[in-house]
């Protein structure tokens, strides 16, 4: 059997999922109205790095225009499909290809634990 073969996981329809922001994550807007996420650096290694190497306690993640528009819409009630419709209304043709881009955005945000999906099917 090939090592590169994927497991037989059921396909997840990201458009039906409901994203919710992580409560521990702080965020604000800068003077250009872009969203800045503040991620706290926790753990033993980060504590040592903060004290010895004067590393910052928070890492700032600056979102682009699309991300800054989407972030406040993540409220734990709207589905990814509803948010995609709002993005399409706001940006029009500039948002294309809409669905692959928005699904990738949410996959990345979930991989960094910035969001979670309230109705994610169990594996």
């Amino acid at each position: 059997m090939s090592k590169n073969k994927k497991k037989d996981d059921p396909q997840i329809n990201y458009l039906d999922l409901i994203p919710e922001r992580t409560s521990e994550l702080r965020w604000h807007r800068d003077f250009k109205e872009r969203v800045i996420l503040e991620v706290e650096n926790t753990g033993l290694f980060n504590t040592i790095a903060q004290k010895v190497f004067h590393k910052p306690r928070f890492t700032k993640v600056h979102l682009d225009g699309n991300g800054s528009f989407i972030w406040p819409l993540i409220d734990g009630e709207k589905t990814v499909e509803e948010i995609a419709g709002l993005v399409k209304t706001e940006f029009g043709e500039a948002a294309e290809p809409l669905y692959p881009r928005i699904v990738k955005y949410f996959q990345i945000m979930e991989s960094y634990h910035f969001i979670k999906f309230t109705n994610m099917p169990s594996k």
Side-chain angles (χ1 to χ4, degrees), residues 22-108:
T22 305
S23 60
E24 299 87 34
L25 190 63
R26 298 183 344 183
W27 65 281
H28 65 277
R29 291 185 180 270
D30 66 4
F31 66 94
K32 292 184 177 180
E33 292 300 312
R34 290 178 300 203
V35 171
I36 299 173
L37 307 178
E38 296 182 5
V39 182
E40 186 172 10
N41 298 314
T42 59
L44 179 62
F45 176 75
N46 286 317
T47 303
I48 293 169
Q50 289 166 17
K51 292 181 188 223
V52 176
F53 301 112
H54 306 290
K55 295 292 181 184
R57 183 171 175 206
F58 290 93
T59 299
K60 295 182 178 183
V61 179
H62 299 262
L63 300 182
D64 65 356
N66 287 348
S68 293
F69 178 78
I70 294 170
W71 184 256
L73 298 174
I74 301 172
D75 59 3
E77 295 177 10
K78 293 179 187 74
T79 64
V80 172
E81 186 173 21
E82 292 170 336
I83 293 171
L86 295 170
V87 169
K88 177 70 172 173
T89 302
E90 179 72 16
F91 295 102
E93 290 300 316
E96 295 299 333
L98 178 64
Y99 293 119
R101 287 177 72 182
I102 202 158
V103 166
K104 186 51 122 175
Y105 172 84
F106 281 107
Q107 287 173 338
I108 291 169

Side-chain angles (χ1 to χ4, degrees), residues 108-122:
I108 291 169
M109 296 304 257
E110 182 188 29
S111 72
Y112 285 112
H113 305 287
F114 294 164
I115 64 164
K116 63 181 179 176
F117 293 106
T118 59
N119 60 339
M120 176 68 89
S122 59

